[in-house]
Amino acid sequence: MADTMQFDLVSPERRLASAQVASVQIPGADGDMTAMPDHAPTITTLRPGVLKVAGPDGTAEYVVTGGFAEITATGVSVLAERAVAKGDMTQDALDEMVEEAHNTYKKVKEGFENEPGPVDDAVKLLSDMVAMGEEIGLSAKQPNL
């Protein structure tokens, strides 16, 4: 069993991280999970949250808003819709993310008036964004649903 595995984090804009790490805590859509070397192959979708990476050089945290994580025995590749190093996250950036999620909710609510599935998904996205803000110490403006 190896002590480290390859970790790669990319967003549409750029590659944020590529390193040998000991573990990656992933905010999965079906629940949080920790990947370590020799993990069973898995693909999971991401929910908005904080991705935590621990390795020989210390720890790093990244705010992600969605995407996918592919876990293999030799590494983790995260393809994030949007990813920002936690230290670079600002109140303005969080407000923008929450506003975007709120606009999505309003659009879905109008388009799927009698179909709760898509509306429920949009409400979950919005509440995950607010919870993510609280987790990183920023306060999201509470939108009126």
Side-chain angles (χ1 to χ4, degrees):
M1 179 157 133
D3 292 337
T4 62
M5 62 184 174
Q6 181 62 37
F7 167 70
D8 293 296
L9 172 61
V10 296
S11 71
E13 297 85 28
R14 63 190 171 116
R15 176 186 301 263
L16 277 88
S18 181
Q20 290 292 311
V21 301
S23 67
V24 180
Q25 292 180 9
I26 301 166
D30 294 324
D32 292 353
M33 61 189 308
T34 300
M36 299 174 77
D38 294 327
H39 193 285
T42 306
I43 295 177
T44 187
T45 55
L46 303 177
R47 65 166 171 74
V50 178
L51 183 93
K52 299 175 183 176
V53 181
D57 298 330
T59 61
E61 296 182 332
Y62 302 91
V63 173
V64 296
T65 62
F68 298 91
E70 179 182 19
I71 304 165
T72 66
T74 59
V76 176
S77 294
V78 176
L79 307 171
E81 290 173 2
R82 182 183 281 176
V84 178
K86 183 181 170 191
D88 295 340
M89 199 58 189
T90 64
Q91 185 66 50
D92 288 340
L94 177 64
D95 290 344
E96 179 185 322
M97 290 177 188
V98 170
E99 181 66 26
E100 190 175 295
H102 187 253
N103 290 338
T104 299
Y105 163 74
K106 288 192 307 189
K107 187 181 296 181
V108 168
K109 187 176 177 185
E110 291 171 7
F112 295 93
E113 194 169 321
N114 293 318
E115 299 178 46
V119 176
D120 291 346
D121 292 345
V123 169
K124 173 94 170 78
L125 173 66
L126 183 55
S127 66
D128 283 345
M129 288 288 191
V130 171
M132 177 187 64
E134 291 172 0
E135 181 179 349
I136 63 174
L138 298 174
S139 176
K141 296 176 186 172
Q142 298 292 324
N144 293 328
L145 297 178

